[in-house]
Amino acid sequence: GLEGLLRYEPDELFFGWLAMTLMESQSRTPRTGWRESTFDQLLNLTLVGSFDLGAGWSVGFRFRVAEGYPTTPAAGAIYNTDCDEYERIPGADNSLRLPWVHQLDVRVDKKFEWEHFVLDIYLDVQNVYYAENVEAIGYNYDYTRRRDVLGLPILPALGIKGEFR
């Protein structure tokens, strides 16, 4: 693998960086030989930045794009009469790759500073543009139909942080 980081030297208005990971991960078993490992991800690119707007206000962001992970699909199912349910028959190990993922997160902070105490109130919004990233594959009860399992939608979080000096 290869990792790289480009960092902007922080100043009074902005700091940020661009991080990139190029990686190939394989594993070997006697049964299957060499194959992509569960966490193989050729590219993972992250851009982070934060702007100081003055008067205690700041706004930051994180944008990430990455190749989807490999997964093992279901090749079918067998009905188990003892349990009255279908048991999954796995397909070839990690033979299906999930789609690329991308997401933008934004955070706005307001800091109030006193002599012995700092109060930070923030709004952190994850997945701002509601990217429908596939995180897994789901199946119906008898494994005859497949559907994508999506990650979280837009997720706002309001927080308060206090700190004694």
Side-chain angles (χ1 to χ4, degrees):
L2 175 69
E3 291 183 328
L5 176 70
L6 291 173
R7 185 173 151 232
Y8 177 81
E9 189 63 38
D11 58 35
E12 64 276 351
L13 299 177
F14 177 77
F15 82 87
W17 66 81
L18 174 67
M20 182 180 69
T21 302
L22 295 171
M23 177 188 76
E24 183 177 7
S25 176
Q26 296 184 346
S27 60
R28 188 173 87 75
T29 64
R31 183 175 61 87
T32 62
W34 288 100
R35 66 174 177 84
E36 293 177 329
S37 73
T38 304
F39 297 106
D40 179 58
Q41 197 173 49
L42 178 63
L43 176 67
N44 189 332
L45 185 69
T46 304
L47 178 63
V48 175
S50 181
F51 298 90
D52 184 347
L53 304 176
W57 287 94
S58 65
V59 62
F61 69 91
R62 178 190 77 130
F63 178 75
R64 179 176 169 265
V65 62
E67 183 179 32
Y69 289 117
T71 189
T72 302
I78 296 174
Y79 182 69
N80 182 336
T81 56
D82 292 337
C83 303
D84 190 30
E85 66 181 28
Y86 286 86
E87 293 182 9
R88 179 180 186 262
I89 300 171
D93 287 342
N94 291 339
S95 61
L96 177 68
R97 188 169 285 278
L98 298 177
W100 285 76
V101 297
H102 52 88
Q103 181 173 321
L104 175 66
D105 305 330
V106 175
R107 179 175 168 133
V108 177
D109 284 84
K110 171 62 175 161
K111 279 190 180 177
F112 300 92
E113 297 190 37
W114 295 280
E115 185 177 343
H116 298 289
F117 189 72
V118 177
L119 182 67
D120 185 9
I121 300 173
Y122 61 88
L123 174 63
D124 190 3
V125 182
Q126 295 183 19
N127 199 11
V128 170
Y129 58 83
Y130 193 9
E132 293 184 329
N133 293 315
V134 177
E135 297 205 354
I137 302 295
Y139 295 90
N140 66 338
Y141 73 100
D142 63 355
Y143 295 89
T144 57
R145 281 181 281 172
R146 185 179 107 184
R147 70 173 184 81
D148 294 339
V149 178
L150 302 179
L152 291 173
I154 297 170
L155 181 64
L158 185 61
I160 299 174
K161 182 175 98 175
E163 184 179 321
F164 289 98
R165 297 191 214 200

